[in-house]
Amino acid sequence: MKKTALYDKHVSLGAKIVPFAGFEMPVQYSGVTEEHFAVREKAGIFDVSHMGQFFIEGPSAKDLLQFVTSNNVDALEIGDSASSQNGKAQYSCLPNENGGIVDDLIVYKIEDDKYFVVVNASNIEKDWNHIAKYNEKFGAKMTNASDEMSLIAIQGPKATEILQKLTETDLSSIPYYHFTVGSVAGFSDVIISNTGYTGSGGFEIYFDNKYAEQLWDSLTEVGAEFGMIPCGLASRDTLRLEKGFCLYGNDIDDTTSPLEAGLGWITKFDKDFVNKAFLENQKAEGISRKLVGFEMQEKAIPRHDYEVVDAEGNIIGKVTSGTMSPMKKIGLGLAYVDKPNFKLGSEIFIRIRNKDIPAKVVKLPFV
């Protein structure tokens, strides 16, 4: 099992450590609910250094990314808007050859001919091999920096105030899905990004492993007066689920198409990309199943892989993510549901221990 550069820090703070995506990671510190509310109301700090980071460079870097990702990389070009002083980031996915998704990822344009790609920890090797396979045609320079870089996320309504005390960069000038490179707590060449996975605002900072403990200490020291606490993967999961954000391996995988997953907005057909024809055809014909949000109508907690059935007890889908929402105090989740049961307002049932509990298809986000 791998360890992040902050592993010893987590142990010293009494975190509960669990194996996740090949790493020993903190799943919780003070408790999931306390950490969840800290992020919603004040701030939380996460070590997400297990994520993968690739640099794609050279004259053909853009062409490679344009072909292997579903979104249009042209949108990352610096425009004339006020936000163009910072670099742009883009949520996207890697379509596979069978209509599914290799991974979802974020693409950052560092400068002309240089891009920074952030992928899921469990897919680092798979993503690298997939992109490298197509790069045989393009010949871009690829660098896997995953083992050299750390990533800390400061999330919540107080996150900007906390981070601003440690950087001269004007954080208010970095809109959502933009980034810049600056200094934090005296350390230079830090990528300061506003993408977020909690839906409560905040920033992510990418930097060399050797700065990890000092940056963590500086952030936690400043954050203490704002009520910031360390948070683990469990609260990160409940936070993202309340916002309806997909988790790779649960809600999207090699067998789910971007269109079925509600990711048509990052699937742009005005360019060529891997398996474009299949997805174009699927869009024209219409999807037969769809990822939906649902809320339980009785007290019950839905879980991953629970069956979804209709009023007659016919299996019509499967739960991909589920939890008891700390904010709404009801069970809710995401599920793939067959047509026509995926319409908003549809009554569905979640089979929990051989009982069919009523639920309703609702609009996302939940919170």
Side-chain angles (χ1 to χ4, degrees):
M1 299 292 289
K2 291 183 176 181
K3 296 180 173 72
T4 74
L6 289 165
Y7 174 81
D8 291 340
K9 188 67 65 177
H10 304 315
V11 172
S12 71
L13 291 169
K16 180 182 179 183
I17 306 291
V18 299
F20 181 82
F23 285 79
E24 294 194 54
M25 295 294 293
V27 67
Q28 66 180 60
Y29 296 83
S30 52
V32 179
T33 303
E34 183 181 345
E35 293 168 28
H36 186 105
F37 277 101
V39 173
R40 287 281 183 253
E41 296 170 355
K42 297 174 183 175
I45 182 171
F46 298 83
D47 173 20
V48 273
S49 305
H50 60 313
M51 299 289 281
Q53 295 90 26
F54 306 155
F55 286 96
I56 313 288
E57 302 172 72
S60 58
K62 178 184 170 183
D63 292 337
L64 169 63
L65 287 170
Q66 193 73 293
F67 188 71
V68 297
T69 66
S70 62
N71 212 332
N72 195 329
V73 182
D74 282 339
L76 294 174
E77 296 301 316
I78 301 300
D80 296 324
S81 66
S83 63
S84 66
Q85 60 188 298
N86 296 300
K88 295 179 181 178
Q90 181 181 75
Y91 181 58
S92 192
C93 75
L94 299 171
N96 67 21
E97 297 81 4
N98 306 307
I101 299 171
V102 178
D103 201 6
D104 62 336
L105 70 163
I106 299 177
V107 179
Y108 296 81
K109 183 182 179 186
I110 303 288
E111 57 191 49
D112 285 343
D113 298 342
K114 184 175 184 179
Y115 296 82
F116 179 60
V117 175
V118 180
V119 303
N120 285 296
S122 57
N123 292 335
I124 293 172
E125 184 178 1
K126 181 176 78 162
D127 292 358
W128 176 268
N129 291 338
H130 179 81
I131 297 170
K133 174 177 67 178
Y134 288 102
N135 192 38
E136 290 177 10
K137 172 186 173 184
F138 292 95
K141 179 187 177 185
M142 293 176 57
T143 306
N144 185 351
S146 305
D147 291 339
E148 288 79 51
M149 296 186 76
S150 290
L151 167 57
I152 291 175
I154 310 97
Q155 296 285 293
K158 298 290 186 182
T160 303
E161 288 180 77
I162 293 166
L163 186 57
Q164 192 64 76
K165 285 182 172 288
L166 294 169
T167 181
E168 293 180 1
T169 297
D170 178 10
L171 299 178
S172 66
S173 71
I174 307 176
Y176 194 47
Y177 267 82
H178 284 67
F179 74 99
T180 191
V181 179
S183 295
V184 177
F187 298 107
S188 57
D189 298 321
V190 176
I191 296 174
I192 305 169
S193 163
N194 178 358
T195 59
Y197 191 52
T198 65
S200 285
F203 289 87
E204 306 79 47
I205 56 172
Y206 300 85
F207 51 88
D208 192 289
N209 283 341
K210 62 177 177 265
Y211 306 148
E213 291 202 5
Q214 290 162 284
L215 274 169
W216 178 276
D217 288 344
S218 295
L219 287 161
T220 52
E221 185 179 334
V222 169
E225 66 175 285
F226 295 90
M228 185 176 78
I229 61 173
C231 300
L233 294 175
S235 61
R236 191 169 170 83
D237 193 52
T238 56
L239 287 158
R240 69 91 192 169
L241 185 47
E242 284 186 342
K243 292 297 179 179
F245 295 151
C246 291
L247 174 65
Y248 194 89
N250 281 42
D251 314 303
I252 50 176
D253 60 31
D254 288 302
T255 69
T256 59
S257 95
L259 304 183
E260 293 171 337
L263 298 177
W265 63 280
I266 63 164
T267 307
K268 302 296 170 62
F269 294 103
D270 55 353
K271 56 140 196 176
D272 193 22
F273 62 88
V274 174
N275 213 13
K276 175 184 176 180
F278 175 90
L279 294 175
E280 265 186 326
N281 188 54
Q282 187 178 61
K283 183 179 181 181
E285 292 184 351
I287 52 176
S288 59
R289 64 170 185 166
K290 183 180 179 183
L291 185 68
V292 299
F294 66 87
E295 292 179 350
M296 303 303 298
Q297 302 300 291
E298 296 178 7
K299 190 173 182 181
I301 305 176
R303 299 295 186 195
H304 177 69
D305 274 349
Y306 281 6
E307 290 175 340
V308 182
V309 299
D310 62 17
E312 285 74 47
N314 301 305
I315 296 173
I316 56 169
K318 187 173 73 171
V319 175
T320 56
S321 291
T323 194
M324 175 64 72
S325 164
M327 296 292 286
K328 301 196 77 170
K329 296 181 170 52
I330 57 170
L332 50 78
L334 299 173
Y336 280 97
V337 178
D338 292 341
K339 188 178 183 180
N341 302 282
F342 55 56
K343 289 181 180 176
L344 285 178
S346 295
E347 184 181 44
I348 58 175
F349 297 83
I350 311 302
R351 187 160 284 172
I352 303 176
R353 290 183 290 277
N354 296 319
K355 287 186 178 180
D356 296 346
I357 313 296
K360 187 166 81 170
V361 176
V362 299
K363 188 177 181 180
L364 296 171
F366 298 106
V367 172

